[in-house]
Amino acid sequence: MLLRDSGTVGLWGWLTLLLVSCAAWASEITFELPDNAKQCFYEEIVQGTKCTLEFQVITGGHYDVDCQLEGPDGAVLYKEMKKQYDSFTFTASRNGTYKFCFSNEFSTFTHKTVYFDFQVGEDPPLFPSENRATALTQMESACVSIHEALKSVIDYQTHFRLREAQGRSRAEDLNTRVAYWSIGEAIILLVVSIGQVFLLKSFFSDKRTTTTRVAS
């Protein structure tokens, strides 16, 4: 069961913890990581189990985050600083609670959206008798092939959704910057135009004053 620790847990933190705890073996999670914050997750793993941690920052800042994975004895198995995405595979060396954390403490005002997929162990066989000594029937082999192909399709769809979300975030950010830049240019153009009008008026006003003095 995947558990979550957010340091200072408020009302929303407890609700999120309850939802994650109720979801049995929820290995794929997308969550918000505020600035100057750190989120930790815990998983009970049996010795000899093969595990894979894959993460990607979808939105926020430079799309980077710190990630660290620790064993039950506190030994650091994986640690990367300011990574946009990465994947790490390991085999549990002992029974216990494994902890992995995502940190945005280096950011002072930008929050991030982080996706991670934590796979524990191998998928159960499609058929109870799949590991038997005799060969599979043609129907069973076709089902296994289709099952593997569908898993690949799911993985590809997940990655495409992440790329689409990241691209949309960058496009919206660029659109916002262009809008602000356009507003700034419009204000500057308006100020320059008004300044030119007053400057031209001052030229004609000085000329008329000089002519009046000469005539008198």
Side-chain angles (χ1 to χ4, degrees), residues 21-214:
S21 299
C22 291
W25 298 97
S27 58
E28 295 187 42
I29 295 179
T30 302
F31 65 97
E32 295 286 338
L33 185 60
D35 52 284
N36 294 315
K38 183 178 182 181
Q39 297 279 359
C40 293
F41 300 84
Y42 302 84
E43 180 72 47
E44 289 286 340
I45 303 176
V46 180
Q47 181 180 2
T49 304
K50 184 179 179 181
C51 306
T52 300
L53 172 63
E54 181 179 0
F55 68 91
Q56 180 176 344
V57 182
I58 303 176
T59 62
H62 296 288
Y63 302 91
D64 53 356
V65 72
D66 298 340
C67 181
Q68 180 171 320
L69 174 65
E70 298 180 3
D73 55 352
V76 177
L77 305 177
Y78 170 84
K79 183 177 181 180
E80 289 292 341
M81 312 294 290
K82 295 184 177 181
K83 294 286 289 186
Q84 295 183 349
Y85 58 89
D86 203 2
S87 178
F88 176 69
T89 301
F90 68 98
T91 301
S93 59
R94 61 177 63 189
N95 299 332
T97 303
Y98 287 74
K99 169 185 174 183
F100 56 99
C101 300
F102 299 95
S103 174
N104 193 30
E105 295 174 329
F106 59 86
S107 180
T108 56
F109 59 88
T110 305
H111 74 280
K112 311 289 177 60
T113 303
V114 183
Y115 161 86
F116 75 85
D117 179 12
F118 191 63
Q119 300 177 1
V120 179
E122 301 290 341
D123 292 335
L126 188 59
F127 300 102
S129 58
E130 186 174 339
N131 297 324
R132 64 178 184 267
T134 58
L136 298 176
T137 64
Q138 186 175 2
M139 180 65 71
E140 291 175 341
S141 300
C143 291
V144 171
S145 300
I146 294 174
H147 179 66
E148 296 297 328
L150 289 177
K151 288 198 301 182
S152 299
V153 169
I154 292 174
D155 292 337
Y156 280 121
Q157 286 181 337
T158 301
H159 286 89
F160 282 135
R161 288 193 187 102
L162 293 176
R163 290 184 181 181
E164 189 271 337
Q166 191 177 64
R168 188 190 326 121
S169 174
R170 289 184 178 180
E172 291 176 353
D173 182 54
L174 181 61
N175 182 51
T176 302
R177 293 184 181 183
V178 170
Y180 286 150
W181 181 261
S182 301
I183 293 174
E185 285 186 335
I187 294 175
I188 293 174
L189 183 61
L190 180 61
V191 171
V192 171
S193 302
I194 296 174
Q196 288 178 346
V197 171
F198 280 103
L199 183 62
L200 289 174
K201 283 179 126 181
S202 67
F203 287 160
F204 289 108
S205 176
D206 293 341
K207 191 173 183 180
R208 184 173 56 189
T209 304
T210 304
T211 305
T212 303
R213 286 180 180 177
V214 171

